[in-house]
């Protein structure tokens, strides 16, 4: 029996792949079964009552900054590096990736300014650029181990000042 899998017509990123062979389908099935087994073996550790995930705290800070920009001229309090670090931490905590263009958007400044700030963060070793395996024209930006450690430490201290316990994401 031959299984042919095709991608939706509107999925331009994968359209060039066409139908999958039986070997491809079998390999994908093995991968999914292996992942399913790993997920079932993973212990779920409940968060302590009253604790806040650090990703949620970072999101609250980011939303507070967005609210502030509705009341005050955003240029009055411009901190593109901080906006980028928050966006990178949130993407790590929520397990999605940001392309360079996404991070430029998150900085809330002109792209030339955002690129200078991104270079500063890269030069400081707080984030790293990772090639996009599906599109050689783009790259992902993610927190480096040092950037993640520092953001975790800062957000943990901020939560403590608020009297909140924290659920620390895995580093």
């Amino acid at each position: 029996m031959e299984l042919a899998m095709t991608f939706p017509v509107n999925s331009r990123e994968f359209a060039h792949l066409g139908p999958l062979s039986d070997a491809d389908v079998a390999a994908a099935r093995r991968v999914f079964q292996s992942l399913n087994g790993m997920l079932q073996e993973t212990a779920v550790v409940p968060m302590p009552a009253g604790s806040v995930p650090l990703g949620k705290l970072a999101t609250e800070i980011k939303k507070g900054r967005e609210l502030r920009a509705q009341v005050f001229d955003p240029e009055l309090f411009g901190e593109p590096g901080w906006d980028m670090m928050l966006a990178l931490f949130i993407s790590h905590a929520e397990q999605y990736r940001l392309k360079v263009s996404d991070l430029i958007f998150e900085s809330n400044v002109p792209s030339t300014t955002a690129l200078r700030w991104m270079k500063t963060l890269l030069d400081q070793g707080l984030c790293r650029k990772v090639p996009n395996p599906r599109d050689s024209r783009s790259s992902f930006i993610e927190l480096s181990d040092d950037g993640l450690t520092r953001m975790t430490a800062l957000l943990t201290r901020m939560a403590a000042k608020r009297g909140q316990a924290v659920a620390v994401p895995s580093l």
Side-chain angles (χ1 to χ4, degrees):
M1 174 173 111
E2 182 175 46
L3 286 174
M5 296 181 75
T6 58
F7 295 95
V9 176
N10 64 353
S11 180
R12 288 181 283 158
E13 186 175 6
F14 300 108
H16 69 282
L17 296 177
L20 295 175
S21 69
D22 287 343
D24 291 334
V25 172
R29 185 173 287 124
R30 286 191 303 276
V31 168
F32 286 121
Q33 287 170 342
S34 175
L35 288 172
N36 188 39
M38 284 189 276
L39 287 173
Q40 290 176 356
E41 294 171 6
T42 303
V44 175
V45 179
M47 291 188 342
S51 66
V52 60
L54 288 181
K56 183 177 179 194
L57 177 58
T59 300
E60 289 173 8
I61 293 168
K62 185 175 181 302
K63 286 182 180 177
R65 293 174 60 74
E66 291 166 0
L67 287 172
R68 183 180 70 187
Q70 293 172 10
V71 177
F72 295 100
D73 180 354
E75 291 181 16
L76 186 61
F77 300 111
E79 297 176 286
W82 178 237
D83 289 327
M84 290 178 167
M85 291 298 287
L86 283 171
L88 289 167
F89 188 86
I90 293 166
S91 73
H92 171 80
E94 296 182 4
Q95 300 179 347
Y96 64 87
R97 299 179 101 178
L98 290 173
K99 291 183 181 178
V100 169
S101 57
D102 299 327
L103 193 56
I104 289 170
F105 176 78
E106 291 289 337
S107 70
N108 298 309
V109 292
S111 58
T112 53
T113 303
L115 289 169
R116 275 195 309 275
W117 275 98
M118 194 179 309
K119 182 181 180 326
T120 299
L121 296 176
L122 287 163
D123 290 348
Q124 296 269 330
L126 297 172
C127 63
R128 61 180 160 244
K129 194 182 275 192
V130 179
N132 183 343
R134 293 192 180 130
D135 183 355
S136 60
R137 298 167 296 169
S138 69
S139 298
F140 294 110
I141 298 289
E142 59 188 32
L143 287 175
S144 65
D145 293 341
D146 184 43
L148 180 58
T149 300
R150 289 178 184 214
M151 284 298 291
T152 300
L154 175 62
L155 291 168
T156 300
R157 290 177 188 169
M158 292 173 88
K161 287 282 186 190
R162 293 177 168 197
Q164 296 172 308
V166 295
V168 179
S170 60
L171 303 177

